Amino acid sequence: PSKVNEPRAHYAAKKAADTRWSSPPPLTAISGSPDRLLVIGGVEIECYVLEDDTRVITQGSMLTALGRSRRINKKPGDDADLPPVLRVQALRPFISSELIENARPISFVTPFGLRANGYRAQVLPQICEAWLNARANNDLLPSQKPIAQAAEIIVRGLASVGIIALIDEATGYQELRTQDALARILEAFVAKELQPWVKTFPNDFYRELFR
């Protein structure tokens, strides 16, 4: 029986090898470092800019920012084709084909020569919007509502920083400001917005959300 299966096994191995060699080489990050992190609400996010100007957040950081485990479990089912960051039942009605495509992991090489997987940076606010839509439609469980609240704060914070960044670019001030100025503005905004919620939820909630 083993000899009968040999041609099939050889074909499968050859097909896998052909796919691997025919895949385009991963892009290289031209900016970014594990020592220079974006901090949002106490969560440290590792991010890079690739050679084609794509801004990416590492897969682990994206999952952590959304309160998900860094470990990706591949299980068969209806959501098997969805990226891990979108595998939440309440989000399904609000997931567009565009979001699914944008949320496909991107393989790249860090400036230090290490292989990594990441997501396009714009996926983070898009997923936050999906959480807000699910909340507006009353589709969230009580345990999921704090995540929607955090998503709202992130979206509002990014919007505030966005207009500041655009003005700085238009006026040329981006050449004068400190490198971490926008990150500090965002962190200050998020910290202020989260303050009224500090005593609303138990410490276990924050440990799980930012784990």
Side-chain angles (χ1 to χ4, degrees), residues 43 63-68 146-147 150 194 204-211:
V43 180
L63 294 170
T64 299
L66 296 169
R68 308 297 302 278
I147 299 178
L194 284 176
D204 288 343
F205 164 72
Y206 294 103
R207 278 195 289 268
E208 289 298 316
L209 181 60
F210 299 138
R211 178 165 54 87

Side-chain angles (χ1 to χ4, degrees), residues 20-28 51 107-109 115:
R20 182 168 61 253
W21 286 109
S22 63
S23 300
L27 297 173
T28 299
E51 57 186 304
S107 179
F108 67 96
V109 179
R115 290 288 293 267

Side-chain angles (χ1 to χ4, degrees), residues 3-174:
K3 292 184 178 180
V4 175
N5 292 330
E6 280 181 3
R8 182 178 299 176
H10 176 74
Y11 172 77
K14 183 178 184 302
K15 184 177 180 180
D18 290 342
T19 300
R20 182 168 61 253
W21 286 109
S22 63
S23 300
L27 297 173
T28 299
I30 59 175
S31 185
S33 167
D35 299 327
R36 299 182 62 181
L37 304 173
L38 172 63
V39 180
I40 301 180
V43 180
E44 295 182 337
I45 298 177
E46 189 175 352
C47 47
Y48 295 89
V49 178
L50 306 185
E51 57 186 304
D52 65 348
D53 291 334
T54 299
R55 278 73 167 174
V56 297
I57 297 174
T58 61
Q59 191 172 67
S61 291
M62 178 72 79
L63 294 170
T64 299
L66 296 169
R68 308 297 302 278
S69 171
R70 283 175 175 258
R71 183 177 180 180
I72 299 176
N73 297 320
K74 296 183 178 180
K75 298 180 180 180
D78 294 337
D79 61 356
D81 293 333
L82 290 178
V85 293
L86 297 178
R87 294 176 189 173
V88 178
Q89 182 68 34
L91 301 185
R92 290 189 182 182
F94 311 102
I95 297 176
S96 65
S97 57
E98 179 184 3
L99 176 53
I100 292 176
E101 184 60 31
N102 286 338
R104 297 295 180 190
I106 299 174
S107 179
F108 67 96
V109 179
T110 71
F112 304 97
L114 300 177
R115 290 288 293 267
N117 288 321
Y119 295 104
R120 289 177 173 81
Q122 60 266 36
V123 167
L124 179 57
Q126 288 176 353
I127 295 177
C128 287
E129 289 287 354
W131 275 101
L132 296 180
N133 288 332
R135 183 181 66 178
N137 205 49
N138 294 320
D139 290 338
L140 297 181
L141 299 173
S143 61
Q144 295 174 326
K145 290 182 179 180
I147 299 178
Q149 177 63 32
E152 180 181 0
I153 293 173
I154 290 176
V155 170
R156 290 167 56 195
L158 292 176
S160 296
V161 173
I163 186 61
I164 291 173
L166 288 174
I167 291 176
D168 288 0
E169 182 178 6
T171 61
Y173 185 68
Q174 63 178 358

